[in-house]
Amino acid sequence: MTPTPDITAPFIGRLKTLYADMDAAYRKAADHYGFHCRGCEDNCCLTRFFHHTHLEHRYLREGFRRLPDALREEIRERADLARQQTAAAEKEGAPPRIMCPLNGEGWCRLYDYRPMICRLHGIAHEVHPPGRPAFRSPGCAVFSRRAAGRDDFRFDRTPFYRAMALLENELRQAAGITVKLKMTVADMIATFEDRPS
Ligand code: SF4
């Protein structure tokens, strides 16, 4: 029998290149500001990030499948708990600050596979959305405090957002995907198959 070609594989290769470009640009900006996350009194893995690309969902699933069985199960349980805690916090009208289920003892268990926003978070940046005014974000609270008084460094996320959107569109067309995606990492983990019954 002829094996079914993996339609995602070439996109994953391009995603890795894009991630490497993001990481390099982020490092350059971080070096400029002398800003590094080690010893941070906050933890951005407590932030409720939404992810929007099927490509990143598939890549995270690829990383997840490589983890040992016991760790996968532990993470699944943490993801279920995080989703329940998030729902409860929302019901109370409180902003959810729930640890990402992939964070274990302060470290991302799937660091190489982490999504775009985890890679870009923290540092002051600008975005130039098509047809809308450009905007600048001051970065996270810890960054704003630590980088106070430093010269600005132009960290423009636009090329990364644009390249990600193009890649995602190509994948959707190639794979015939029509549904939109808006998920936290906990939501994504809950969709990963091979769950024991
Ligand atoms: S995927 Fe990794 S880096 Fe991103 S929030 Fe979760 S633990 Fe943190």
Side-chain angles (χ1 to χ4, degrees), residues 56-73:
E56 290 187 290
H57 177 274
R58 289 175 183 213
Y59 189 48
L60 197 73
R61 183 179 61 194
E62 189 177 306
F64 188 74
R65 283 175 174 162
R66 290 170 194 259
L67 295 173
D69 291 353
L71 182 56
R72 280 212 308 268
E73 206 35 48

Side-chain angles (χ1 to χ4, degrees), residues 26 29-30 33 35-37 40 42 44 47 49 116-125 137-147 155 157:
Y26 188 93
Y33 289 111
F35 176 73
H36 300 286
C37 296
C40 180
D42 195 2
C44 42
T47 309
F49 294 130
M116 171 171 72
I117 200 65
C118 303
R119 294 167 190 265
L120 297 179
H121 184 75
I123 288 185
H125 61 273
S137 158
C140 71
V142 176
F143 172 83
S144 301
R145 213 165 40 248
R146 290 194 193 170
F155 183 45
R157 286 186 180 181

